[in-house]
Amino acid sequence: MSTSVVAPAPALRIGSLALDVPVVLAPMAGITNTAFRRLCREYGAGLYVSEMITARALVERTPETMRLITHHPSEKTRSIQLYGVDAPTVYKAVKILSEEGLADHVDLNFGCPVPKVTRKGGGSALPWKLDLFQDIVESAVRGAGDLPVTVKMRKGIDADHLTYLDAGRIAEAAGASAVALHGRTASEFYSGQADWSAIARLKEAVTSIPVLGNGDIWSGEDGPRMMRETGADGVVVGRGCLGRPWLFGDLAAAFTGSEERHRPRLALVAQAFRRHAELLSEFFESEERGCRDIRKHVAWYFKGYPVGSEIRSALALVSSLAEVDELVERLGDAPYPTEGAEGQRGRAGSPKRVVLPENWLNSRELEGDQRERLTEGAGDTSGG
């Protein structure tokens, strides 16, 4: 008599996607390109989302956008985050991804807090307009066909203009496959502590699709803790993995009950840094450009380690892999610095007034010529 092996149930299901670990890499502009996503995958598991892509640029098929949405063959689940303020354009962009087989998952950005986006009514400003938000989510779902569409958002514009509960319910009714909440308002930017209680409230309000929590996942232990405290179905990781791609391995271990964690010595951190530079050079098809890009990662990788200012400065000026090799050879080795390498990293900023279109807060619906004046904020923007 033969016996069949039953595959374990997925830790998280987002539409047709089954994830072994309930962990998602948050889109971060200039960070979560193919090179970084590949590096994180080498250490752990989960869903790895692209940098934010503007819907209009995708519809217009600008060369840089088409390059950014191209995934490496090793990326088996191709996840793309889109940003747009015009429902017909978002529909066309998602339809391109779906019909041309360019993605397996589409995430919609409603979390970006930077002024050049919010002043145009986009990012975290957009859910204030309930009709516009609903139009965009419904249009994306309609254009996606069988692709799962998810929504990433913040609590709202500020403490007096919260949007996340309304937006969560609308997204659920519109056919989204999951919603993710960063537990800060746009005005908080990345300052202070993320409000995990808001994630719990969203989970109570949205009951038929997964709710994911984002904000202050700094260690492997933080992932299961967030899910216990909020009831969330999964976690979204942003700044915590900067210079620490092995955080995804730590999260995977924590979710399976293992106490094994990456506590890398300096030599192993140097190897990861060098690997990242190599992957960036491949991504940009230019060793010089790849090495220019790795410069911004220096402080994140070597946070807490005994690396002198002279070598740090030299690493921040590298222009070739040979230079990287020569400098990391000089680093030697040192044990893991425990607390010195852990905790918050990346920009935090301070609370600030959110820049919005004129009269934006007067009504929860678009008024007058507001729709005609909406344009996509261009340039380097955050995933929120």
Side-chain angles (χ1 to χ4, degrees):
M1 186 175 74
S2 63
T3 59
S4 59
V5 177
V6 179
L12 174 64
R13 186 175 292 280
I14 299 175
S16 58
L17 302 179
L19 306 184
D20 293 335
V21 178
V23 177
V24 178
L25 168 65
M28 291 180 282
I31 303 292
T32 58
N33 49 39
T34 298
F36 188 66
R37 298 194 306 266
R38 289 175 64 190
L39 184 65
C40 292
R41 274 191 173 89
E42 291 176 4
Y43 285 95
L47 180 65
Y48 299 88
V49 188
S50 75
E51 298 178 70
M52 191 177 76
I53 304 297
T54 63
R56 188 169 302 281
L58 178 55
V59 170
E60 295 174 354
R61 298 178 187 267
T62 65
E64 178 64 7
T65 297
M66 301 313 289
R67 188 179 74 83
L68 286 174
I69 68 169
T70 301
H71 287 72
H72 187 266
S74 65
E75 298 186 86
K76 300 305 182 186
T77 301
R78 301 160 302 163
S79 180
I80 292 177
Q81 188 185 68
L82 281 181
Y83 157 67
V85 295
D86 175 63
T89 303
V90 170
Y91 170 79
K92 292 175 186 175
V94 176
K95 199 168 179 64
I96 287 172
L97 296 175
S98 174
E99 292 189 345
E100 298 183 18
L102 299 175
D104 303 300
H105 162 239
V106 176
D107 186 52
L108 299 177
N109 179 296
F110 297 107
C112 184
V114 301
K116 62 187 169 186
V117 170
T118 59
R119 70 161 47 97
K120 303 294 186 180
S124 51
L126 196 147
W128 180 255
K129 299 298 187 182
L130 299 175
D131 53 345
L132 178 61
F133 178 80
Q134 180 174 338
D135 285 349
I136 289 177
V137 178
E138 287 180 346
S139 295
V141 171
R142 195 166 62 251
D146 294 332
L147 297 187
V149 173
T150 58
V151 164
K152 188 168 188 289
M153 58 189 177
R154 283 185 172 238
K155 289 172 59 179
I157 293 171
D158 54 37
D160 296 322
H161 301 89
L162 300 178
T163 58
Y164 70 103
L165 293 177
D166 289 331
R169 295 186 188 101
I170 290 171
E172 180 180 28
S177 294
V179 292
L181 177 65
H182 184 154
R184 289 180 172 89
T185 62
S187 66
E188 291 174 299
F189 214 65
Y190 295 93
S191 64
Q193 188 171 358
D195 177 13
W196 287 8
S197 68
I199 299 166
R201 287 190 289 274
L202 181 63
K203 177 61 181 174
E204 293 173 355
V206 175
T207 58
S208 67
I209 58 175
V211 171
L212 313 180
N214 178 213
D216 298 352
I217 301 292
W218 307 116
S219 69
E221 290 72 23
D222 287 338
R225 183 168 66 87
M226 175 186 273
M227 289 178 61
R228 286 196 305 271
E229 293 182 11
T230 67
D233 301 288
V235 300
V236 181
V237 181
R239 294 172 298 147
C241 66
L242 296 175
R244 299 174 67 227
W246 45 82
L247 177 57
F248 292 94
D250 287 351
L251 285 162
F255 276 116
T256 58
S258 169
E259 296 183 359
E260 183 177 349
R261 299 290 183 275
H262 289 80
R263 301 289 186 265
R265 298 179 64 90
L266 178 56
L268 293 177
V269 175
Q271 288 178 18
F273 178 81
R274 204 280 181 190
R275 173 65 173 158
H276 196 169
E278 176 188 352
L279 291 172
L280 283 168
S281 298
E282 180 181 332
F283 169 64
F284 287 114
E285 298 181 339
S286 163
E287 186 173 317
E288 191 272 337
R289 189 175 175 191
C291 289
R292 278 207 322 265
D293 199 74
I294 196 63
R295 297 171 184 175
K296 66 190 175 196
H297 296 265
V298 173
W300 296 326
Y301 271 102
F302 300 109
K303 180 179 184 288
Y305 288 89
V307 178
S309 59
E310 180 184 346
I311 293 186
R312 286 178 184 266
S313 297
L315 284 168
L317 294 172
V318 292
S319 57
S320 70
L321 292 176
E323 289 180 46
V324 174
D325 289 339
E326 190 273 329
L327 289 167
V328 298
E329 184 68 26
R330 288 168 51 190
L331 289 175
D333 199 10
Y336 182 72
T338 61
E339 293 182 2
E342 296 176 355
Q344 183 165 322
R345 54 188 53 225
R347 60 184 177 178
S350 56
K352 60 196 73 179
R353 184 180 66 85
V354 182
V355 182
L356 299 167
E358 186 178 2
N359 299 321
W360 192 251
L361 296 178
N362 287 358
S363 168
R364 297 301 306 271
E365 308 293 327
L366 287 170
E367 295 180 314
D369 63 349
Q370 282 181 336
R371 188 181 295 272
E372 286 68 37
R373 289 189 280 121
L374 291 173
T375 58
E376 291 180 356
D380 185 31
T381 50
S382 159

